[in-house]
Amino acid sequence: MQQGCVNFVFMGIKRKTKSVTTVLNIFEASHDAKSVVSLITLVKNEMNKTTVYRILDRLEQDGLIHSFNGKDGLKWYAKCNGCTSHKHFDTHPHFQCTKCDKVECLTVDISIPNIKNHNIETADILLMGQCEACCS
Amino acid sequence: MQQGCVNFVFMGIKRKTKSVTTVLNIFEASHDAKSVVSLITLVKNEMNKTTVYRILDRLEQDGLIHSFNGKDGLKWYAKCNGCTSHKHFDTHPHFQCTKCDKVECLTVDISIPNIKNHNIETADILLMGQCEACCS
DNA sequence: CTACTTTCGCAACTCAGTTGCATTAATGAT
DNA sequence: ATCATTAATGCAACTGAGTTGCGAAAGTAG
Ligand SMILES: [Mn+2]
Ligand SMILES: [Mn+2]
Ligand SMILES: [Zn+2]
Ligand SMILES: [Zn+2]
């Protein structure tokens, strides 16, 4: 018979393992985005890097976190601020600090013009500059 | 005594080699962006992949081409349409087709709002959807 | 507790991009 | 045209992010 986790009734996470809890707690603790590389380092004593990649995949499938590419092309994940699994701002812009590399989800809305003869579906927008801490 | 190429008096390209000419001709032939991977395949009988990477680096230093990351995080290069080394639209958005993967430089201007307590310097914008050929 | 099946660890792999070094070739000077 | 200088190239080895296959471990329903 088909099994399912009480908390996550979607398609990704089916069992609430210790590793899943650890990763989720990290995203709850601060809403800043995290690169996969930094996450792997952060939990290297608790789980294997393959496990990290697989958990992030499943959490994203369930809409609990979302992913995007940082300025170097590396993959980042974040639990976005105002979004829930019910009301999800599909494409919000991100900001990456050029000094400290910190990445934030932005709640601003950037309007995309129509492009002649093109059907635009989504937009990946990464703003770069100095974050609050690095501004002063 | 310091040497310098007649055509490129910047800091990147100093000698107009056969390989440099080959790569430049590809960018002249069509203004669509090219991924490094596809360029390497395209010229694999004429030069080594290391040479491709190095030539692209130098051409970008000279402002003859520009680079950005495609939707998979891979590096793409293009000779932009309206830009010259004198008048360069530093940050224009790009479009990548989700069906055929083709990438185009866009000339539209997307206005970036101010972000409180942040100093925005540049924006990487990648629009995705169907290109003209794939729309119909 | 048991049986079922998801998840994990590990090792090996893929692939984009880089580096060091010996060799080749473009260029200015003669 | 030839030479000397040094930029540019080829090659092989490497790095680092991300993936895959498989046997072992651990959630969960009953
Ligand atoms: Mn976000
Ligand atoms: Mn462009
Ligand atoms: Zn910062
Ligand atoms: Zn297309």
Side-chain angles (χ1 to χ4, degrees):
Chain A
M1 199 171 286
Q2 181 76 350
Q3 298 193 37
C5 180
V6 239
N7 300 309
F8 313 108
V9 285
F10 309 99
M11 49 188 67
I13 298 281
K14 291 183 180 155
R15 294 184 184 181
K16 194 172 188 178
T17 63
K18 206 168 183 179
S19 296
V20 168
T21 307
T22 301
V23 173
L24 269 178
N25 284 344
I26 293 170
F27 284 104
E28 295 295 341
S30 107
H31 281 186
D32 285 343
K34 283 110 190 140
S35 71
V36 180
V37 174
S38 71
L39 281 168
I40 289 172
T41 309
L42 196 61
V43 299
K44 65 166 169 293
N45 295 321
E46 296 165 69
M47 72 194 83
N48 188 271
K49 72 167 180 172
T50 310
T51 304
V52 177
Y53 279 109
R54 295 199 269 225
I55 288 177
L56 292 171
D57 270 353
R58 277 178 265 140
L59 290 178
E60 187 173 31
Q61 283 176 46
D62 291 343
L64 297 177
I65 57 176
H66 63 280
S67 71
F68 55 94
N69 292 105
K71 63 182 161 65
D72 322 297
L74 298 194
K75 210 166 187 187
W76 289 68
Y77 281 89
K79 182 177 201 315
C80 37
N81 276 310
C83 302
T84 65
S85 51
H86 299 283
K87 187 177 69 129
H88 192 76
F89 302 100
D90 267 303
T91 56
H92 55 259
H94 293 98
F95 169 85
Q96 182 159 21
C97 179
T98 49
K99 284 194 180 170
C100 70
D101 262 20
K102 173 182 169 174
V103 173
E104 304 164 38
C105 296
L106 298 177
T107 49
V108 298
D109 194 29
I110 296 180
S111 71
I112 306 298
N114 289 329
I115 311 292
K116 183 165 54 178
N117 297 322
H118 292 245
N119 178 26
I120 306 295
E121 290 169 332
T122 53
D124 278 0
I125 299 182
L126 182 66
L127 307 185
M128 284 159 288
Q130 281 95 46
C131 76
E132 183 163 13
C134 294
C135 252
S136 37
Chain B
M1 201 172 287
Q2 180 76 350
Q3 298 194 35
C5 179
V6 240
N7 300 310
F8 314 109
V9 284
F10 309 98
M11 49 187 66
I13 298 282
K14 290 183 180 154
R15 294 182 185 181
K16 194 171 189 178
T17 64
K18 205 168 185 179
S19 296
V20 167
T21 308
T22 301
V23 173
L24 269 178
N25 285 344
I26 293 171
F27 283 104
E28 295 294 343
S30 106
H31 281 187
D32 286 342
K34 283 112 191 137
S35 71
V36 180
V37 175
S38 70
L39 281 167
I40 289 171
T41 309
L42 195 63
V43 299
K44 66 167 171 290
N45 296 321
E46 294 165 71
M47 73 195 80
N48 188 272
K49 73 166 179 172
T50 310
T51 304
V52 177
Y53 280 107
R54 292 199 269 227
I55 287 176
L56 292 170
D57 270 353
R58 276 177 264 139
L59 291 177
E60 187 173 30
Q61 283 176 45
D62 291 345
L64 298 177
I65 58 178
H66 63 281
S67 70
F68 55 94
N69 292 106
K71 64 182 160 65
D72 322 297
L74 297 194
K75 209 166 188 186
W76 288 69
Y77 282 89
K79 180 176 202 315
C80 37
N81 278 309
C83 303
T84 65
S85 52
H86 297 285
K87 186 176 69 124
H88 191 75
F89 302 100
D90 267 305
T91 57
H92 54 260
H94 293 99
F95 169 85
Q96 182 160 21
C97 180
T98 49
K99 284 193 181 171
C100 71
D101 262 20
K102 172 182 170 175
V103 174
E104 304 165 36
C105 296
L106 299 177
T107 49
V108 297
D109 194 28
I110 295 179
S111 72
I112 305 297
N114 290 329
I115 312 290
K116 183 166 53 177
N117 296 323
H118 291 244
N119 179 26
I120 306 295
E121 291 170 332
T122 53
D124 278 1
I125 299 181
L126 182 66
L127 307 186
M128 285 159 286
Q130 280 95 47
C131 75
E132 182 162 15
C134 294
C135 253
S136 36

